[in-house]
Amino acid sequence: MLASNPDHFYAVIPAGGAGSRLWPLSRAGRPKFLRDIAGTGATLLRSTWDRLVPLTGEDHIMVVTGDAHANEVRAQLPELGEHNIVLESEGRDSTVAIGLAAAILERRHPGAVVGSFAADHLISAGGRFRRAVREAVRAADEGHIVTIGIQPIAPSTAFGYIRAGEPLEIHGAPSARLVDEFVEKPNEGTARRYVASGEYLWNAGMFIAKTQRLLDELAENAPELAAGINEIADAWDTPERADVVSRVWPGLEKIAIDYTVAEPAAKKGALAVIPGFFGWDDVGDFASVSRVHQAANVCDHEVQVIGERERVVSTGATGIVISETERVVAVAGVNNIIVVDTEDALLVTDRANAQRVKEIVNLLKESAHPEVL
Amino acid sequence: MLASNPDHFYAVIPAGGAGSRLWPLSRAGRPKFLRDIAGTGATLLRSTWDRLVPLTGEDHIMVVTGDAHANEVRAQLPELGEHNIVLESEGRDSTVAIGLAAAILERRHPGAVVGSFAADHLISAGGRFRRAVREAVRAADEGHIVTIGIQPIAPSTAFGYIRAGEPLEIHGAPSARLVDEFVEKPNEGTARRYVASGEYLWNAGMFIAKTQRLLDELAENAPELAAGINEIADAWDTPERADVVSRVWPGLEKIAIDYTVAEPAAKKGALAVIPGFFGWDDVGDFASVSRVHQAANVCDHEVQVIGERERVVSTGATGIVISETERVVAVAGVNNIIVVDTEDALLVTDRANAQRVKEIVNLLKESAHPEVL
């Protein structure tokens, strides 16, 4: 049972977000998910697709992305059918992205289970990932809203955590447990306690549920937004799509699905979690890129290099150099440095300050050179 | 007397040295002295020339440089007469550069006083500089070999020091004192004691003497080298120059004039020093560039910028960005950082490690990309 793929399961890939903490690699016009940001040889979007296809087949994956990225998405995923692309004129956060996909799928395939998987996360050990997803689909079949929480490998302060509760004892989903609560990014001491306790998992933002179950939960917690989403979904596969979208879209609330579905469900004991024992990273900043790259064991030099290694020289330095240019990059005597060298923009920071790249992006918006964003 | 310029005084500018600790600004093909390395608006060579002309006139300055740099030197100093250029097929260090110039000048202008002034140092307060040189020429007239030592403004560990001894009471050179000894670059504690004592000056490598006095001292301490230099000088203004140079040059010893003239003279009490109360820096590494730039008070931002300020953004960072490209440079949360951004090479280091740039240059020599040196 666990080994076969459930044929009522559909994956949704919300492919949005500028990844501003990854500037200048990630740009408004070519964001993080369209880039091979971790130097694996494939873009994050393509890797996500390749990871899901063995679970769902090519026709059961829907991609939600911005108009501006449509052509690049089509180019990276030539197997993606046009009916499985949901284009947004303007980003409306994850409730709309996932909720609309679920509402469209519910109309096309009543009784479907939908799972959402970010386009810009990195996952290793795909077999374990798929095993966790199959368990999650089973738990969803039983009426649960389900998330996959990542077994932490370190007391990270960069991620939110999920406290796992009682085992649910679902046939075919033996590791499913209730979610007791979601907790925000902790400080380091708290993170250590969480990891030591064995009860906490990283919140990777993966949600799996029957489409109708998800929409019901949404209707309960955000009725206006749910109504708007359903109105668009009703028109989606009809000639009225464009009219309805242009009328309803501007009024849709921008809010993360964590607040409209996951956390309210957890509060009433309706959220299940499947612990995931695979490598996972949200590749949220350059410290994360460095971590991911290191984990991939690509580098045994003192300075990690993403790019042409022969053009990077270093002495007494540690950190990461990401090079997209033909230039020689030399690093001397600095530790945990992060150097990102692109044709029209250069970033220098270090691991401890990797999150401040967002401040740089904000400064650039007001600067004389917003064109590099 | 002090206000007028002595018309038997000739300046020599040895313009050599790759400035490898200033890579990638300074390159083999376009070394430090040919660059506006401190962002003053003039190259170091041109600034040196402009500083000396009021003392000597245009025809009393001789430039010693490598064949490879001849055209750039001519372009930067169009007033420099061809008879005042000494071209070296291969660098032979400062004894040959200064000694040969002195020997040529002695033959052309017997009784001349010669002063050597590096092409790649930065000096502010030119009036005080010229006053010190005029005192030095007076002391040289009295038969002394003379150096100008810089009044230290900080306990620098980057420079050698000169311990000043008894006042010499020379008419027209009231501040002249004997040199007791030269001391190598000290550690910080020693440097503090030196500066607190008031008896120590920075060794700026400026030497002034009668040409014959200098050549006699050289002959005493390095007789073979002196003979070679004199042989070339004898042939210099004759048709035999090329023949003699090609025969003698390869055998000339590479040695600094500190060891062949200055230190031996100091040991026997024949070296005088004029304290210099002007701003001086050897611009030896990027920490020095940063210091010089800061002293010029060009910048009140957290990150100093040499280049187009509008293209540099920073947050919570200190240090210096030197930009020669059209790219945006962003620096976040790093302190005392040094970023040098050029078309084909990028350097990232910090002030404490500025000297390690030499290691980078050595690594590049063995690398796949020596062309950026």
Side-chain angles (χ1 to χ4, degrees):
Chain A
M1 174 86 185
L2 273 180
S4 71
N5 285 327
D7 59 10
H8 63 304
F9 175 56
Y10 293 79
V12 174
I13 305 177
S20 60
R21 282 166 305 178
L22 290 174
W23 180 91
L25 277 200
S26 189
R27 307 281 180 112
R30 205 174 165 215
K32 180 185 166 192
F33 61 91
L34 294 174
R35 308 291 315 260
D36 176 12
I37 221 104
T40 63
T43 69
L44 292 174
L45 174 64
R46 181 72 217 184
S47 298
T48 303
W49 174 272
D50 289 341
R51 187 160 57 238
L52 290 167
V53 164
L55 268 173
T56 60
E58 289 170 1
D59 199 46
H60 279 216
I61 305 179
M62 191 170 252
V63 175
V64 186
T65 194
D67 279 340
H69 307 309
N71 287 338
E72 184 65 25
V73 167
R74 288 183 186 112
Q76 291 192 13
L77 308 177
E79 310 94 321
L80 174 66
E82 203 57 30
H83 62 289
N84 279 333
I85 306 185
V86 175
L87 292 182
E88 302 181 307
S89 53
E90 229 185 328
R92 277 290 177 275
D93 216 322
S94 57
T95 298
V96 169
I98 299 166
L100 177 58
I104 294 169
L105 287 169
E106 172 59 23
R107 280 152 184 79
R108 293 181 186 170
H109 315 286
V113 167
V114 65
S116 74
F117 304 92
D120 56 1
H121 293 177
L122 199 73
I123 284 174
S124 58
R128 290 183 181 182
F129 164 76
R130 287 184 284 272
R131 209 172 312 147
V133 175
R134 287 187 195 108
E135 282 205 51
V137 173
R138 270 297 298 134
D141 283 338
E142 298 294 315
H144 295 279
I145 295 177
V146 191
T147 186
I148 295 174
I150 312 298
Q151 187 68 39
I153 54 167
S156 172
T157 59
F159 308 133
Y161 284 71
I162 294 167
R163 182 151 61 89
E166 291 303 304
L168 284 166
E169 304 185 349
I170 297 169
H171 181 67
S175 60
R177 295 168 70 177
L178 264 183
V179 170
D180 277 352
E181 60 167 343
F182 285 91
V183 287
E184 300 286 324
K185 296 176 185 179
N187 63 30
E188 205 175 314
T190 306
R192 280 185 201 286
R193 280 206 314 282
Y194 285 175
V195 174
S197 76
E199 298 303 305
Y200 286 82
L201 302 162
W202 287 336
N203 178 9
M206 300 180 206
F207 299 108
I208 298 96
K210 284 186 184 170
T211 48
Q212 194 54 61
R213 177 74 190 81
L214 186 102
L215 293 166
D216 289 346
E217 189 67 40
L218 177 61
E220 195 175 324
N221 303 305
E224 254 186 78
L225 184 52
I229 288 171
N230 279 316
E231 194 175 350
I232 294 172
D234 283 337
W236 196 259
D237 289 328
T238 77
E240 279 74 49
R241 183 202 292 186
D243 285 351
V244 174
V245 166
S246 66
R247 178 168 49 78
V248 176
W249 198 268
L252 296 177
E253 190 186 0
K254 276 185 170 183
I255 183 168
I257 198 163
D258 305 67
Y259 307 123
T260 55
V261 173
E263 293 186 8
K267 282 215 174 77
K268 60 187 178 197
L271 195 75
V273 63
I274 308 291
F277 293 88
F278 44 85
W280 170 86
D281 203 294
D282 70 350
V283 206
D285 60 26
F286 286 112
S288 168
V289 170
S290 165
R291 192 166 62 225
V292 163
H293 195 65
Q294 209 157 35
N297 219 348
V298 178
C299 176
D300 52 1
H301 284 58
E302 45 180 10
V303 169
Q304 299 168 260
V305 177
I306 300 182
E308 197 192 313
R309 181 177 303 280
E310 288 211 324
R311 288 186 297 92
V312 178
V313 296
S314 68
T315 180
T318 59
I320 188 163
V321 172
I322 303 174
S323 166
E324 296 205 313
T325 72
E326 298 292 307
R327 308 192 312 158
V328 164
V329 179
V331 186
V334 282
N335 282 312
N336 296 314
I337 200 79
I338 293 168
V339 177
V340 186
D341 186 45
T342 75
E343 283 304 335
D344 60 350
L346 165 68
L347 170 73
V348 177
T349 184
D350 63 13
R351 282 194 193 135
N353 289 283
Q355 297 272 330
R356 301 187 76 161
V357 175
K358 212 182 173 84
E359 297 170 32
I360 292 288
V361 167
N362 288 333
L363 287 169
L364 282 169
K365 282 177 190 160
E366 309 299 318
S367 81
H369 295 281
E371 75 277 6
V372 298
L373 287 173
Chain B
M1 175 87 186
L2 271 180
S4 71
N5 285 328
D7 60 9
H8 63 304
F9 176 57
Y10 293 80
V12 174
I13 304 177
S20 59
R21 281 166 305 176
L22 290 174
W23 180 90
L25 277 200
S26 189
R27 307 283 180 111
R30 205 174 166 214
K32 180 184 165 193
F33 61 91
L34 295 174
R35 307 294 314 263
D36 176 14
I37 221 102
T40 64
T43 70
L44 292 174
L45 175 64
R46 181 71 218 185
S47 299
T48 303
W49 174 273
D50 289 340
R51 188 160 57 237
L52 290 167
V53 164
L55 268 173
T56 59
E58 289 170 1
D59 199 45
H60 278 216
I61 305 178
M62 191 170 254
V63 175
V64 186
T65 194
D67 280 339
H69 307 309
N71 287 336
E72 184 65 25
V73 167
R74 288 185 186 111
Q76 291 192 12
L77 308 177
E79 311 95 320
L80 174 66
E82 204 56 32
H83 63 289
N84 279 332
I85 306 184
V86 176
L87 292 182
E88 303 181 307
S89 54
E90 229 185 329
R92 276 292 177 274
D93 217 321
S94 57
T95 299
V96 169
I98 299 167
L100 178 57
I104 293 169
L105 287 169
E106 172 60 23
R107 281 152 182 80
R108 293 182 184 169
H109 315 285
V113 168
V114 65
S116 74
F117 303 93
D120 56 1
H121 292 176
L122 198 73
I123 284 174
S124 58
R128 290 183 181 181
F129 165 74
R130 286 184 284 274
R131 210 174 310 148
V133 175
R134 287 187 195 108
E135 281 206 52
V137 173
R138 270 296 300 136
D141 282 338
E142 298 294 315
H144 295 280
I145 296 177
V146 191
T147 187
I148 296 174
I150 312 298
Q151 188 67 38
I153 53 166
S156 173
T157 59
F159 308 133
Y161 284 70
I162 294 167
R163 181 150 63 89
E166 291 303 304
L168 284 167
E169 303 186 351
I170 298 169
H171 181 67
S175 60
R177 295 169 71 176
L178 265 182
V179 169
D180 277 351
E181 61 168 344
F182 285 91
V183 287
E184 300 284 327
K185 296 176 186 179
N187 62 31
E188 204 175 314
T190 307
R192 280 183 200 286
R193 280 207 313 283
Y194 286 175
V195 173
S197 76
E199 298 302 305
Y200 286 82
L201 301 163
W202 287 337
N203 177 9
M206 300 179 205
F207 299 109
I208 298 97
K210 284 186 183 170
T211 47
Q212 194 55 59
R213 178 71 190 83
L214 186 102
L215 294 166
D216 288 348
E217 189 67 39
L218 177 61
E220 195 175 322
N221 303 307
E224 255 186 76
L225 183 52
I229 287 171
N230 278 315
E231 196 176 347
I232 293 172
D234 283 337
W236 196 259
D237 289 329
T238 77
E240 278 75 49
R241 183 202 292 187
D243 284 352
V244 174
V245 165
S246 67
R247 178 169 49 78
V248 177
W249 197 269
L252 296 176
E253 190 185 1
K254 277 184 170 182
I255 183 169
I257 198 163
D258 305 67
Y259 307 123
T260 56
V261 173
E263 292 187 10
K267 282 215 176 76
K268 60 186 176 197
L271 195 75
V273 62
I274 307 292
F277 293 87
F278 43 85
W280 170 87
D281 203 294
D282 71 349
V283 205
D285 60 24
F286 285 112
S288 169
V289 170
S290 165
R291 193 167 60 227
V292 163
H293 194 65
Q294 209 157 35
N297 219 349
V298 179
C299 177
D300 52 2
H301 284 58
E302 46 180 9
V303 170
Q304 299 169 259
V305 177
I306 299 182
E308 197 193 315
R309 182 177 303 279
E310 289 212 324
R311 286 186 299 92
V312 178
V313 295
S314 68
T315 181
T318 60
I320 188 164
V321 172
I322 303 175
S323 167
E324 297 204 312
T325 72
E326 298 292 307
R327 306 191 315 156
V328 164
V329 179
V331 186
V334 283
N335 282 311
N336 296 314
I337 200 80
I338 293 169
V339 177
V340 186
D341 185 46
T342 75
E343 282 305 334
D344 61 350
L346 165 68
L347 170 73
V348 177
T349 184
D350 63 14
R351 282 194 192 134
N353 289 283
Q355 296 272 330
R356 302 188 75 160
V357 175
K358 211 182 174 84
E359 295 170 34
I360 291 288
V361 167
N362 289 332
L363 287 169
L364 282 169
K365 281 177 189 157
E366 308 300 318
S367 81
H369 295 281
E371 75 277 6
V372 297
L373 288 172

